[in-house]
């Protein structure tokens, strides 16, 4: 009597391909012979079930005939040839897909790494790598942050080699197919694992995964395509940037390998405090001292804003601590059009050293 592979994996017949795959990965992790409590026979049975149910055609045949292929008399298969990728390996009748082992490593913590190919997935040609991002700091004045400013930046970083223009080859050198990998950028090697000997693909060590070599490396950059140099360039700091804000400047990071895209520059902005203004997000905050008489009778006073002096009307009977709003006299928003407000807190200045007549007037007024 044939085995019920659905029962072996603990799934329903209506289970999706993803549910079947996850069930297999979980059980394979649980019963792997190298683990405490692992069972070799159970592991083989789980793998056998997955080789059928994990294959759409074999699953249909199993559902119809109770076997994956009545004419084949078994399951499994060896490694597929060719540099386009190989689907699995064979060990003691077991055929386990590389991608499944990679998924198993992701789910249960690095299981795929035991095979030495970074999660078990067949890799493509590595190729030149994008340059790394850079972080740098810049200090600006308070008013520069309010209105924006153009600043010069000086950085020491990897830049494209001027001699070879990033190719890594000495001018006039021949570019040839890599003799080690025959232009594929990948090489295969036999590796011993807990499941037996398997073939793995890695980036070609001779060409770094590019599939080609040059007859002579650039003498200025030793074939890397980049050199360290100090560069200067100007950066526009937008209006409204706040202390601790970060500005991304695309393609001003480290130069990429052999013509690959450069990384990005991230500028962290430090804003010097002002002795006149305080900032709260997009609002400017100040205080204004007024005389007792101005508060009682009302008056017009001059307020200094980041945009210059403006006149503020103080109504009769204004109390100390009253906050007045000067609309659109604050910080520019990131949209470049909207502005915050300037909030003025009025502080009534209590008179000192009153003479006798002034004291008598205040007493008569009862205030």
């Amino acid at each position: 009597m044939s085995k019920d592979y659905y029962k072996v994996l603990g799934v329903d017949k209506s289970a999706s391909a993803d549910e079947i795959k996850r069930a297999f990965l979980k059980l394979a992790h649980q019963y792997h012979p190298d683990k405490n409590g692992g069972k070799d026979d159970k592991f083989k049975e789980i793998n056998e079930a997955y080789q059928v149910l994990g294959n759409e055609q074999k699953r249909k045949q199993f559902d119809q005939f109770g076997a994956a292929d009545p004419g084949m008399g078994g399951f499994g298969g060896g490694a597929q040839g060719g540099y386009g990728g190989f689907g699995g390996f064979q060990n003691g009748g077991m055929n386990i897909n590389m991608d499944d082992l990679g998924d198993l490593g992701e789910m249960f913590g690095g299981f795929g790494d035991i095979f030495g190919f970074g999660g078990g997935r067949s890799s493509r040609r590595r190729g030149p790598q994008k340059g790394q991002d850079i972080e740098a700091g810049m200090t600006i004045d308070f008013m520069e942050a309010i209105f924006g400013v153009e600043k010069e930046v000086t950085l020491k970083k990897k830049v494209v080699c001027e001699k070879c223009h990033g190719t890594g080859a000495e001018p006039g050198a021949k570019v040839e197919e890599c003799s080690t990998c025959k232009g594929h950028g990948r090489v295969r090697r036999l590796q011993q694992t807990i499941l037996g000997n398997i073939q793995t693909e890695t980036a070609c060590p001779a060409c770094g995964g590019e599939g080609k070599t040059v007859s002579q490396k650039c003498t200025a950059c030793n074939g890397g395509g980049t050199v360290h140099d100090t560069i200067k360039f100007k950066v526009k700091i937008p209006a409204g940037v706040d202390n601790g804000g970060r500005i991304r400047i695309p393609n001003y990071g480290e130069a990429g390998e052999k013509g690959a895209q450069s990384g990005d520059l991230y500028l962290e902005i430090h804003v010097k405090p002002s002795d006149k203004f305080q900032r709260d997000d997009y609002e400017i905050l100040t205080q204004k001292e007024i005389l007792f008489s101005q508060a009682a009778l009302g008056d017009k006073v001059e307020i200094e804003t980041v945009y210059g002096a403006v006149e503020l009307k103080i109504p009769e009977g204004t109390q100390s601590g009253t906050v007045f709003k000067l609309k659109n006299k604050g910080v520019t928003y990131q949209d470049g059009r909207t502005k915050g407000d300037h909030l003025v807190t009025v502080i009534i200045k209590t008179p000192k050293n009153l003479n006798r007549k002034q004291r008598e007037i205040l007493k008569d007024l009862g205030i």
Side-chain angles (χ1 to χ4, degrees), residues 144-159:
E144 290 176 332
I146 299 298
F147 294 104
V149 67
E150 187 175 74
K151 289 282 190 178
E152 186 175 73
V153 177
T154 301
L155 280 179
K156 185 174 183 179
K157 67 184 188 78
K158 281 184 180 180
V159 298

Side-chain angles (χ1 to χ4, degrees), residues 286-296 314-324 344-351:
T286 60
Q287 292 182 343
K288 179 65 176 180
E289 279 192 345
I290 62 174
L291 299 175
F292 177 81
S293 59
Q294 290 175 305
I314 305 296
E316 293 182 10
T318 295
Q319 301 298 307
S320 187
T322 300
V323 178
F324 293 92
V344 183
T345 302
V346 170
I347 306 298
I348 297 176
K349 186 176 182 181
T350 303

Side-chain angles (χ1 to χ4, degrees), residues 53-121:
L53 301 185
N55 182 290
E56 184 178 358
Q57 182 178 354
K58 289 182 179 180
R59 182 180 179 182
K60 287 181 180 179
Q61 292 171 341
F62 177 77
D63 290 342
Q64 185 174 1
F65 303 109
D69 189 345
M72 291 181 65
F75 311 108
Q80 300 171 8
Y83 277 91
F86 49 94
F89 64 87
Q90 191 170 10
N91 180 54
M94 293 187 294
N95 183 297
I96 301 178
N97 187 278
M98 296 294 195
D99 286 347
D100 296 334
L101 290 171
D103 290 339
L104 187 62
E106 292 173 8
M107 291 176 62
F108 301 106
F111 178 73
D113 290 338
I114 62 175
F115 300 102
F117 42 79
R121 298 189 183 278

Side-chain angles (χ1 to χ4, degrees), residues 31 34 65 84 115 147 158 198 208 221 245 280 361:
Y31 291 105
D34 196 52
F65 303 109
F115 300 102
F147 294 104
K158 281 184 180 180
I198 65 170
C221 64
D280 182 12
I361 293 173

